[in-house]
Amino acid sequence: MSLSERLSPHQPAALAILRIMTALLFIEHGTQKLFGFPPAPYAITTLFFVAGIIELVGGTLILLGLFTRPVAFLLSGEMAIAYFTVHMPINFFPANNQGDGAILFCFIFLFLVFAGPGEWALDNRQRR
């Protein structure tokens, strides 16, 4: 049996782990903006406060696997806007403007729009 054949059955669980870990990291950005934990290295403006609400609520929904596709679409868009409004004006290169995280979050959330939540998601429960 090839490596691909042995690993393929575990794809839904691996997708769920990617979703859960991404959500936990994303929630941290929301708590940083809303509650100052961990301490933010920048001033919190009204725009950052609104972003914090989106990140905390959206991250929690992604963590639970609830409304995964529409929430991931919204969060992907938020991260694209964050990159182009906050990071891109600093410098063109992501390595120089600290925009790597925003880009990765954007594309992981975009991937979840198409791939779905994987295993261990409330989206997977049977509707009766």
Side-chain angles (χ1 to χ4, degrees):
M1 182 181 286
S2 74
L3 181 61
S4 179
E5 291 171 331
R6 284 185 281 164
L7 293 177
S8 290
H10 303 290
Q11 184 272 336
L15 177 57
I17 292 167
L18 175 68
R19 171 181 53 82
I20 291 165
M21 290 308 302
T22 301
L24 289 171
L25 291 170
F26 201 66
I27 289 168
E28 179 182 30
H29 288 276
T31 62
Q32 184 178 49
K33 291 176 181 81
L34 295 175
F35 309 120
F37 182 79
Y42 45 80
I44 302 299
T45 63
T46 303
L47 184 60
F48 278 27
F49 184 79
V50 171
I53 293 170
I54 293 169
E55 291 164 6
L56 184 62
V57 173
T60 302
L61 290 171
I62 294 291
L63 176 68
L64 298 172
L66 187 60
F67 308 116
T68 302
R69 291 175 194 260
V71 171
F73 182 76
L74 174 75
L75 298 181
S76 178
E78 182 207 6
M79 288 294 94
I81 291 168
Y83 181 77
F84 287 110
T85 61
V86 176
H87 300 281
M88 184 75 163
I90 295 170
N91 190 287
F92 178 78
F93 298 102
N96 293 337
N97 67 23
Q98 281 77 48
D100 305 51
I103 292 169
L104 285 171
F105 278 127
C106 178
F107 281 94
I108 290 171
F109 288 134
L110 187 60
F111 175 72
L112 291 175
V113 171
F114 293 95
E119 289 185 357
W120 315 312
L122 293 177
D123 285 343
N124 296 336
R125 64 180 184 233
Q126 296 283 333
R127 303 240 191 263
R128 292 179 190 192

